PDB file of all heavy atoms in Angstrom:
ATOM      1  N   LEU M 194      -0.792  16.847  32.185  1.00 93.00           N
ATOM      2  CA  LEU M 194      -1.338  15.492  32.235  1.00 93.00           C
ATOM      3  C   LEU M 194      -0.284  14.459  31.876  1.00 93.00           C
ATOM      4  O   LEU M 194       0.523  14.630  30.948  1.00 93.00           O
ATOM      5  CB  LEU M 194      -2.507  15.384  31.243  1.00 93.00           C
ATOM      6  CG  LEU M 194      -3.643  16.376  31.420  1.00 93.00           C
ATOM      7  CD1 LEU M 194      -4.667  16.202  30.296  1.00 93.00           C
ATOM      8  CD2 LEU M 194      -4.315  16.202  32.779  1.00 93.00           C
ATOM      9  N   SER M 195      -0.265  13.354  32.601  1.00 93.00           N
ATOM     10  CA  SER M 195       0.688  12.285  32.342  1.00 93.00           C
ATOM     11  C   SER M 195       0.003  10.962  32.673  1.00 93.00           C
ATOM     12  O   SER M 195      -0.221  10.637  33.837  1.00 93.00           O
ATOM     13  CB  SER M 195       1.958  12.463  33.218  1.00 93.00           C
ATOM     14  OG  SER M 195       2.859  11.411  32.969  1.00 93.00           O
ATOM     15  N   HIS M 196      -0.337  10.225  31.602  1.00 95.00           N
ATOM     16  CA  HIS M 196      -1.045   8.952  31.840  1.00 95.00           C
ATOM     17  C   HIS M 196      -0.756   8.085  30.620  1.00 95.00           C
ATOM     18  O   HIS M 196      -0.677   8.538  29.488  1.00 95.00           O
ATOM     19  CB  HIS M 196      -2.568   9.232  31.966  1.00 95.00           C
ATOM     20  CG  HIS M 196      -3.348   8.035  32.423  1.00 95.00           C
ATOM     21  ND1 HIS M 196      -3.774   7.055  31.565  1.00 95.00           N
ATOM     22  CD2 HIS M 196      -3.724   7.647  33.664  1.00 95.00           C
ATOM     23  CE1 HIS M 196      -4.438   6.134  32.265  1.00 95.00           C
ATOM     24  NE2 HIS M 196      -4.419   6.469  33.541  1.00 95.00           N
ATOM     25  N   ARG M 197      -0.654   6.775  30.845  1.00 96.00           N
ATOM     26  CA  ARG M 197      -0.287   5.847  29.770  1.00 96.00           C
ATOM     27  C   ARG M 197      -1.334   5.793  28.648  1.00 96.00           C
ATOM     28  O   ARG M 197      -1.051   5.346  27.550  1.00 96.00           O
ATOM     29  CB  ARG M 197      -0.071   4.427  30.319  1.00 96.00           C
ATOM     30  CG  ARG M 197      -1.315   3.817  30.974  1.00 96.00           C
ATOM     31  CD  ARG M 197      -0.991   2.448  31.627  1.00 96.00           C
ATOM     32  NE  ARG M 197      -2.171   1.935  32.319  1.00 96.00           N
ATOM     33  CZ  ARG M 197      -3.088   1.169  31.723  1.00 96.00           C
ATOM     34  NH1 ARG M 197      -2.997   0.898  30.441  1.00 96.00           N
ATOM     35  NH2 ARG M 197      -4.120   0.716  32.431  1.00 96.00           N
ATOM     36  N   ASN M 198      -2.580   6.216  28.956  1.00 96.00           N
ATOM     37  CA  ASN M 198      -3.614   6.161  27.951  1.00 96.00           C
ATOM     38  C   ASN M 198      -3.896   7.518  27.296  1.00 96.00           C
ATOM     39  O   ASN M 198      -4.918   7.687  26.640  1.00 96.00           O
ATOM     40  CB  ASN M 198      -4.917   5.628  28.576  1.00 96.00           C
ATOM     41  CG  ASN M 198      -4.777   4.197  29.062  1.00 96.00           C
ATOM     42  OD1 ASN M 198      -4.908   3.940  30.242  1.00 96.00           O
ATOM     43  ND2 ASN M 198      -4.483   3.285  28.153  1.00 96.00           N
ATOM     44  N   LEU M 199      -2.975   8.476  27.479  1.00 95.00           N
ATOM     45  CA  LEU M 199      -3.087   9.782  26.856  1.00 95.00           C
ATOM     46  C   LEU M 199      -1.806  10.059  26.059  1.00 95.00           C
ATOM     47  O   LEU M 199      -0.728   9.730  26.497  1.00 95.00           O
ATOM     48  CB  LEU M 199      -3.294  10.888  27.871  1.00 95.00           C
ATOM     49  CG  LEU M 199      -4.521  10.823  28.778  1.00 95.00           C
ATOM     50  CD1 LEU M 199      -4.515  11.987  29.734  1.00 95.00           C
ATOM     51  CD2 LEU M 199      -5.798  10.802  27.923  1.00 95.00           C
ATOM     52  N   VAL M 200      -1.958  10.663  24.911  1.00 93.00           N
ATOM     53  CA  VAL M 200      -0.812  11.091  24.128  1.00 93.00           C
ATOM     54  C   VAL M 200      -0.124  12.267  24.867  1.00 93.00           C
ATOM     55  O   VAL M 200      -0.771  13.242  25.253  1.00 93.00           O
ATOM     56  CB  VAL M 200      -1.224  11.541  22.711  1.00 93.00           C
ATOM     57  CG1 VAL M 200      -0.041  12.133  21.965  1.00 93.00           C
ATOM     58  CG2 VAL M 200      -1.822  10.398  21.952  1.00 93.00           C
ATOM     59  N   GLY M 201       1.167  12.141  25.101  1.00 92.00           N
ATOM     60  CA  GLY M 201       1.894  13.142  25.875  1.00 92.00           C
ATOM     61  C   GLY M 201       2.116  14.429  25.104  1.00 92.00           C
ATOM     62  O   GLY M 201       2.392  14.409  23.911  1.00 92.00           O
ATOM     63  N   VAL M 202       2.019  15.542  25.804  1.00 93.00           N
ATOM     64  CA  VAL M 202       2.326  16.887  25.265  1.00 93.00           C
ATOM     65  C   VAL M 202       3.611  17.348  25.965  1.00 93.00           C
ATOM     66  O   VAL M 202       3.706  17.321  27.189  1.00 93.00           O
ATOM     67  CB  VAL M 202       1.210  17.863  25.542  1.00 93.00           C
ATOM     68  CG1 VAL M 202       1.584  19.286  25.100  1.00 93.00           C
ATOM     69  CG2 VAL M 202      -0.067  17.419  24.792  1.00 93.00           C
ATOM     70  N   HIS M 203       4.570  17.820  25.173  1.00 94.00           N
ATOM     71  CA  HIS M 203       5.900  18.106  25.731  1.00 94.00           C
ATOM     72  C   HIS M 203       6.359  19.545  25.626  1.00 94.00           C
ATOM     73  O   HIS M 203       7.157  19.994  26.452  1.00 94.00           O
ATOM     74  CB  HIS M 203       6.955  17.188  25.040  1.00 94.00           C
ATOM     75  CG  HIS M 203       6.631  15.743  25.177  1.00 94.00           C
ATOM     76  ND1 HIS M 203       6.658  15.053  26.351  1.00 94.00           N
ATOM     77  CD2 HIS M 203       6.215  14.844  24.232  1.00 94.00           C
ATOM     78  CE1 HIS M 203       6.341  13.789  26.159  1.00 94.00           C
ATOM     79  NE2 HIS M 203       6.028  13.643  24.879  1.00 94.00           N
ATOM     80  N   GLN M 204       5.869  20.284  24.656  1.00 95.00           N
ATOM     81  CA  GLN M 204       6.382  21.621  24.479  1.00 95.00           C
ATOM     82  C   GLN M 204       5.414  22.446  23.644  1.00 95.00           C
ATOM     83  O   GLN M 204       4.719  21.900  22.752  1.00 95.00           O
ATOM     84  CB  GLN M 204       7.760  21.606  23.785  1.00 95.00           C
ATOM     85  CG  GLN M 204       8.355  23.004  23.647  1.00 95.00           C
ATOM     86  CD  GLN M 204       9.643  22.990  22.811  1.00 95.00           C
ATOM     87  OE1 GLN M 204      10.003  21.957  22.214  1.00 95.00           O
ATOM     88  NE2 GLN M 204      10.334  24.118  22.738  1.00 95.00           N
ATOM     89  N   LEU M 205       5.335  23.735  23.956  1.00 96.00           N
ATOM     90  CA  LEU M 205       4.649  24.710  23.109  1.00 96.00           C
ATOM     91  C   LEU M 205       5.664  25.730  22.683  1.00 96.00           C
ATOM     92  O   LEU M 205       6.390  26.290  23.529  1.00 96.00           O
ATOM     93  CB  LEU M 205       3.532  25.397  23.861  1.00 96.00           C
ATOM     94  CG  LEU M 205       2.786  26.533  23.148  1.00 96.00           C
ATOM     95  CD1 LEU M 205       1.976  26.008  21.985  1.00 96.00           C
ATOM     96  CD2 LEU M 205       1.896  27.332  24.095  1.00 96.00           C
ATOM     97  N   GLY M 206       5.779  25.969  21.398  1.00 97.00           N
ATOM     98  CA  GLY M 206       6.735  26.957  20.890  1.00 97.00           C
ATOM     99  C   GLY M 206       6.077  27.826  19.843  1.00 97.00           C
ATOM    100  O   GLY M 206       4.957  27.611  19.393  1.00 97.00           O
ATOM    101  N   VAL M 207       6.808  28.876  19.468  1.00 96.00           N
ATOM    102  CA  VAL M 207       6.356  29.741  18.392  1.00 96.00           C
ATOM    103  C   VAL M 207       7.574  30.106  17.542  1.00 96.00           C
ATOM    104  O   VAL M 207       8.623  30.424  18.041  1.00 96.00           O
ATOM    105  CB  VAL M 207       5.631  30.978  18.925  1.00 96.00           C
ATOM    106  CG1 VAL M 207       6.537  31.827  19.781  1.00 96.00           C
ATOM    107  CG2 VAL M 207       5.067  31.834  17.774  1.00 96.00           C
ATOM    108  N   ASP M 208       7.426  29.994  16.238  1.00 95.00           N
ATOM    109  CA  ASP M 208       8.517  30.295  15.323  1.00 95.00           C
ATOM    110  C   ASP M 208       7.886  30.778  14.038  1.00 95.00           C
ATOM    111  O   ASP M 208       6.873  30.242  13.557  1.00 95.00           O
ATOM    112  CB  ASP M 208       9.347  29.033  15.007  1.00 95.00           C
ATOM    113  CG  ASP M 208      10.578  29.316  14.180  1.00 95.00           C
ATOM    114  OD1 ASP M 208      11.055  30.451  14.161  1.00 95.00           O
ATOM    115  OD2 ASP M 208      11.050  28.367  13.528  1.00 95.00           O
ATOM    116  N   GLN M 209       8.403  31.850  13.460  1.00 90.00           N
ATOM    117  CA  GLN M 209       7.894  32.466  12.230  1.00 90.00           C
ATOM    118  C   GLN M 209       6.399  32.812  12.402  1.00 90.00           C
ATOM    119  O   GLN M 209       5.637  32.799  11.417  1.00 90.00           O
ATOM    120  CB  GLN M 209       8.067  31.487  11.056  1.00 90.00           C
ATOM    121  CG  GLN M 209       9.484  30.952  10.887  1.00 90.00           C
ATOM    122  CD  GLN M 209       9.523  29.716   9.996  1.00 90.00           C
ATOM    123  OE1 GLN M 209       9.047  29.794   8.820  1.00 90.00           O
ATOM    124  NE2 GLN M 209      10.047  28.621  10.475  1.00 90.00           N
ATOM    125  N   GLY M 210       6.017  33.146  13.638  1.00 92.00           N
ATOM    126  CA  GLY M 210       4.629  33.497  13.906  1.00 92.00           C
ATOM    127  C   GLY M 210       3.706  32.305  13.986  1.00 92.00           C
ATOM    128  O   GLY M 210       2.490  32.490  14.058  1.00 92.00           O
ATOM    129  N   ILE M 211       4.265  31.104  13.976  1.00 94.00           N
ATOM    130  CA  ILE M 211       3.467  29.879  14.001  1.00 94.00           C
ATOM    131  C   ILE M 211       3.636  29.206  15.383  1.00 94.00           C
ATOM    132  O   ILE M 211       4.737  28.844  15.749  1.00 94.00           O
ATOM    133  CB  ILE M 211       3.901  28.872  12.894  1.00 94.00           C
ATOM    134  CG1 ILE M 211       3.766  29.527  11.512  1.00 94.00           C
ATOM    135  CG2 ILE M 211       3.050  27.607  12.952  1.00 94.00           C
ATOM    136  CD1 ILE M 211       4.305  28.687  10.369  1.00 94.00           C
ATOM    137  N   TYR M 212       2.517  29.044  16.102  1.00 95.00           N
ATOM    138  CA  TYR M 212       2.538  28.259  17.335  1.00 95.00           C
ATOM    139  C   TYR M 212       2.588  26.778  16.979  1.00 95.00           C
ATOM    140  O   TYR M 212       1.865  26.333  16.073  1.00 95.00           O
ATOM    141  CB  TYR M 212       1.308  28.566  18.178  1.00 95.00           C
ATOM    142  CG  TYR M 212       1.388  29.851  18.944  1.00 95.00           C
ATOM    143  CD1 TYR M 212       0.893  31.037  18.430  1.00 95.00           C
ATOM    144  CD2 TYR M 212       1.994  29.873  20.221  1.00 95.00           C
ATOM    145  CE1 TYR M 212       0.959  32.213  19.149  1.00 95.00           C
ATOM    146  CE2 TYR M 212       2.077  31.056  20.923  1.00 95.00           C
ATOM    147  CZ  TYR M 212       1.564  32.207  20.403  1.00 95.00           C
ATOM    148  OH  TYR M 212       1.643  33.402  21.128  1.00 95.00           O
ATOM    149  N   TYR M 213       3.410  26.049  17.703  1.00 96.00           N
ATOM    150  CA  TYR M 213       3.485  24.597  17.460  1.00 96.00           C
ATOM    151  C   TYR M 213       3.439  23.851  18.806  1.00 96.00           C
ATOM    152  O   TYR M 213       4.010  24.311  19.779  1.00 96.00           O
ATOM    153  CB  TYR M 213       4.690  24.200  16.630  1.00 96.00           C
ATOM    154  CG  TYR M 213       6.031  24.558  17.231  1.00 96.00           C
ATOM    155  CD1 TYR M 213       6.659  23.675  18.132  1.00 96.00           C
ATOM    156  CD2 TYR M 213       6.654  25.732  16.923  1.00 96.00           C
ATOM    157  CE1 TYR M 213       7.911  23.994  18.691  1.00 96.00           C
ATOM    158  CE2 TYR M 213       7.886  26.079  17.479  1.00 96.00           C
ATOM    159  CZ  TYR M 213       8.506  25.207  18.348  1.00 96.00           C
ATOM    160  OH  TYR M 213       9.726  25.529  18.905  1.00 96.00           O
ATOM    161  N   LEU M 214       2.762  22.726  18.744  1.00 95.00           N
ATOM    162  CA  LEU M 214       2.606  21.895  19.931  1.00 95.00           C
ATOM    163  C   LEU M 214       3.325  20.585  19.671  1.00 95.00           C
ATOM    164  O   LEU M 214       3.086  19.888  18.703  1.00 95.00           O
ATOM    165  CB  LEU M 214       1.104  21.619  20.131  1.00 95.00           C
ATOM    166  CG  LEU M 214       0.635  20.740  21.302  1.00 95.00           C
ATOM    167  CD1 LEU M 214       1.118  21.324  22.630  1.00 95.00           C
ATOM    168  CD2 LEU M 214      -0.860  20.647  21.278  1.00 95.00           C
TER     169      LEU M 214
END
Side-chain angles (χ1 to χ4, degrees):
L194 303 175
S195 179
H196 192 276
R197 63 185 176 86
N198 297 117
L199 299 179
V200 175
V202 174
H203 304 291
Q204 183 187 8
L205 174 69
V207 61
D208 185 24
Q209 308 164 56
I211 301 174
Y212 281 93
Y213 60 87
L214 179 59

